Every structure is written in structure tokens, then in C-alpha cells.
Amino acid sequence: MKRYKAYCFDLDGTVYRGDEPILEAVEFVNKLTRSGINPFFVTNNASKTPAQLLAKLTSYGIKTSESQIMTSAIAASLFIKEQHPDARVYMIGEAGLHDALVSQELNLVEKDADVFVMGIDRDITYEKLARACVEVRNGAKFIATNSDKVFPTERGLIPGNGSFVALIEAATDVKALYIGKPQPHLLEAIMVKHGFTKEEMVMIGDNYTTDILAGINFGIDTVHVNTGVTSAEQVKQESAGPTYYLEDLSQWKI
Amino acid sequence: MKRYKAYCFDLDGTVYRGDEPILEAVEFVNKLTRSGINPFFVTNNASKTPAQLLAKLTSYGIKTSESQIMTSAIAASLFIKEQHPDARVYMIGEAGLHDALVSQELNLVEKDADVFVMGIDRDITYEKLARACVEVRNGAKFIATNSDKVFPTERGLIPGNGSFVALIEAATDVKALYIGKPQPHLLEAIMVKHGFTKEEMVMIGDNYTTDILAGINFGIDTVHVNTGVTSAEQVKQESAGPTYYLEDLSQWKI
């Protein structure tokens, strides 16, 4: 397998599963670090801050830093900053999205917004949704961090950001612009910030419709690991496949 | 125009507009009452109890009683009682729906439900939605009181029950069974309870896609009044039109 400069790892299903580390992945990441390569972590999770995600990685023995972690909240904030630098921004979301918007010094408002950005918010209220509906109907651009309709918990699948986006889309007849994987914004943000070429980058993940398609859409090599959502068997039925298939990351010799 | 035994009036847009009575309608309703006919009121509003709606009608000078008021919450409760009399029922909704379910002596539960029934709830929480998602994914029948995606307020259109139903549909891949107009359940409940024939009934309303279609779907005469959501001009472009068109109810001589 080729050697890369920028190894971009998905998190859930690739580096850990819920609260359990995937040991082969942790070992591979640490091998990269020891050989002088600083890997990147690329997640659609917009509710957590890089500091929160870093704490989790650190607890598994991974040595990295906040600057190596790219969330869909950060990518959304960078996108808004670039496309609408002076925008009045109304948000629904948790700490991850709030802090990302603040770190881009965007102007957060409660009404008369130019942009509405939506991430999962487990403190959602009718008032927040009503406000979003009014703002989008009044012309605010509708951006969403990720499209997962559900996510798994111990008691079963429960609503993800994609389902709340469906609510606002139903109430406004406006379709959201998604920034998370499989859109290429997260990978592009890493490339631009660090000056990589596409040939130097690889996206590693378990989920075909987010991770592998993000890599393909962006035009970089991809590695599917058989440790999460999409089985290798399922991926092999897709017309556009990843560059490499691995059972787990212990198979990757560098 | 023909004389009927059961005059079924929509409320918002037909008898009042928001908090303002439509005087021609109030006068017509009172004329019916004085002539010994007790009109019915048929509304998709599932959040209010008949007592709350009665108080509003009384404040406009209309003399009627709770038993003349048929809401989509009552129709949904009657439907569940008939189809699933011993069901464990999980609900999201306000007082109108809660009281209707209780009045049918249905078994309200917080988990392991056989039926999930959804009406607008302006105290919605993530936990309520997560529970609904789990219950429907575990096989609970999904019933909804009305399909309005938005409703009008002073600050603009804000999310109605139909938008929250879209959220649960997105999160479960299960389509809701709607009970409100244009479904015929409300009119059928009046017919069954009072022993009318369809020839004796008429549905009067402003909204083509709810009121007029409910009458057409049920197979009774319909009267469109040009005092609310759908203009007579718009209705005339539909292939199936109402039996009669009136500008307002002062034109109806009985």
C-alpha cells in the first residue's frame, strides 16, 4: 500500500465503537505518530468540541492535538466564514457547533439571520424550531452539519440531525445544504489548512455512504475497514469502491 | 340551496380567523340554532379540548355545547378505541389529545406501546421524540391527528404537526396514518354517533385540501366559503369541486 502524508481517520466505527476503542486502529494510529506522522480525525459528530473528542482519544492512549481533529461543525463554520463572512448566524446545536462558530468569530444572533445552521441539539425546544422555520422562510440560508437520520444507543436507534433537518425542510420547503461527509468540505479544510496535495491524502473509514464517498467525492484514495457500519461485502456491491479493503488496521504495514 | 340536518362547520378560516370572529358565519350559526338546528364544529386542531373551543365560540356569542365539537384528537381516540381497544398508547400532544384519549379510557403508557399517536406539542423535548422513534421502530402503529406542515402566527408560519410527523417518519421509515381532515373519520364519527344519513349532512369550510376534500372523500355535500385559506378562484381550478360556492355565509338563506 502507498505511503501518505495525511491519514484521515473517521472516528466512530473506525477508531472506536461507542465507548470502546478498536485496538488495531489505536495501535496503527500510534505507529504513525511514532514514525513522525500526525494523523487527522474527521468526524460528522458536530455536538462535541475538539477538546471533548481529544479527551476521548487520549483516554485510549492516542497522542494527538485538537488541531488534528476536524468535525462537521468546524467545517460548517469555516464554510460560513468563507462564503458569508459578515453573516448574522442563527444556530441550533450543542457545544461543538457553538464553539466552532464562535472560534470563527461569526456573529451569532437570535433573529433576522442570514444563515441558519443546524446540528443535533438534545435540548431542542419548540421555540428554537419555530425560530428556525421563520428565519429560513424569511430567506436565511439553511446549512446542516450532518445528515444521519438516526444514531444507535443502548435502547435502539433515536433521531439524529438528519431527522430534525427533515422537520425544518417540511416546514419551509427549503432543502438544507449539508456540510458533513460524504460532502468533501472536511477533507478540503484539512488540505487547505496544511497545504497537502490530494495525492498525499487518504480517507480511512467503516461507513461507505459517509467516509468512503467523502474520499471519492473529494478525489483522494480511500481505505475501507470492516470494523463498523458497512460490511466489506456490502461495499463490494457498490459501483464505486474504495482504493483498498482491510479487515482491520493491523493489516496495514507501514 | 338544500336544507340539511347536520351542518358541519370548520372553525379557523370559516367561523373565526385566529382570534377574530367572522361575523357572517356567527350570524348564520345563530340563525340555525334559533331555527332548532344544532350545528357541528369539525376541526383538525388537536391541541385544544372541546371545553376550550366551546369557550371561544361562546365568547363570540355562539350557543352550543361540547358534544357538538369534533376535533381530530377525539376522532383519533375513537379510531384507536375501535381498532385497538386494549392498546398500550404512547402519545405526544397537548391537552386536547390527552383528554380525548383519557375520555376513551385508553391505556396511556410511556414505553412498550402498541400505538403511538402524535399531535402538536409546544412543550416537545428530545426525549419525547426519541421515545416515539424507539416505539415506532419496535412496531407501534403510528397515528397522527393532522398533517398541517405549518400554521400562521403573527411572526409568520411556524411548524405544525405535519412537520413533526415528517421528523418521526424520517427517523423510522414508517408513514403515519392521518386521522384529521381530509380523511373522513371526523365526519364519520358525527354520522355514527347521531345516526344521520350522508344525504342529511353538509361540510362547510374555507380550506380545499382539508375541509372540502374531507366532505368529498366522505361522500357528502360541501360548501366552500371564500373567507380563509383557499380562494374560490383556486378551488375552481380543482377537478373535484364543492357542491356550492359562497362568498360568505350571509349569502346562505335558510
Side-chain angles (χ1 to χ4, degrees), chain A residues 142-156:
Chain A
F142 181 13
I143 292 172
T145 54
N146 65 316
S147 58
D148 308 78
K149 296 266 200 303
V150 287
F151 60 88
T153 65
E154 279 175 11
R155 60 174 165 163

Side-chain angles (χ1 to χ4, degrees), chain A residues 1-4 7 24 27-28 31-32 35 37 223 244 246 248-254:
Chain A
M1 286 170 76
K2 190 176 149 184
R3 250 185 109 82
Y4 300 90
Y7 293 77
E24 297 84 357
E27 178 50 30
F28 182 71
K31 223 187 314 182
L32 287 174
S35 75
I37 293 167
V223 176
Y244 304 104
L246 297 176
D248 63 58
L249 286 165
S250 70
Q251 296 187 304
W252 197 339
K253 309 298 177 198
I254 52 161

Side-chain angles (χ1 to χ4, degrees), chain A residues 208-209 230 233-241 245:
Chain A
Y208 179 78
T209 57
T230 325
E233 203 172 310
Q234 290 171 309
V235 178
K236 280 171 184 159
Q237 287 165 20
E238 302 287 345
S239 58
Y245 289 92

Side-chain angles (χ1 to χ4, degrees), chain B residues 138-185:
Chain B
N138 286 343
K141 197 167 171 62
F142 181 13
I143 292 173
T145 55
N146 66 315
S147 59
D148 308 79
K149 295 267 199 301
V150 286
F151 59 89
T153 64
E154 277 176 13
R155 58 175 165 163
L157 297 171
I158 62 174
N161 192 47
S163 293
F164 286 89
V165 168
L167 185 161
I168 297 297
E169 288 182 341
T172 60
D173 273 329
V174 174
K175 291 279 170 203
L177 171 71
Y178 283 107
I179 295 290
K181 297 175 285 182
Q183 302 306 318
H185 304 89

Side-chain angles (χ1 to χ4, degrees), chain A residues 126-127 137 150 155 159 171, chain B residues 126-127 137 150 155 157 159 171:
Chain A
Y126 185 81
E127 176 54 27
R137 283 190 159 268
V150 287
R155 60 174 165 163
Chain B
Y126 184 81
E127 176 55 26
R137 282 189 160 271
V150 286
R155 58 175 165 163
L157 297 171

Side-chain angles (χ1 to χ4, degrees), chain B residues 66-136:
Chain B
E66 287 185 33
S67 62
Q68 301 300 111
I69 298 171
M70 177 59 64
T71 71
S72 56
I74 296 172
S77 304
L78 290 167
F79 177 85
I80 296 168
K81 187 69 180 181
E82 189 187 300
Q83 300 283 321
H84 314 277
D86 302 317
R88 294 169 57 86
V89 180
Y90 174 58
M91 70 155 272
I92 289 180
E94 299 185 5
L97 183 56
H98 179 266
D99 289 10
L101 294 165
V102 167
S103 77
Q104 290 303 317
E105 297 178 344
L106 286 160
N107 181 16
L108 294 182
V109 298
E110 293 294 307
K111 62 181 297 190
D112 301 331
D114 306 305
V115 171
F116 164 56
V117 55
M118 185 169 213
I120 186 80
D121 179 357
R122 275 148 303 185
D123 287 321
I124 194 70
T125 63
Y126 184 81
E127 176 55 26
K128 292 180 187 178
L129 294 165
R131 204 168 286 181
C133 182
V134 169
E135 295 300 328
V136 172

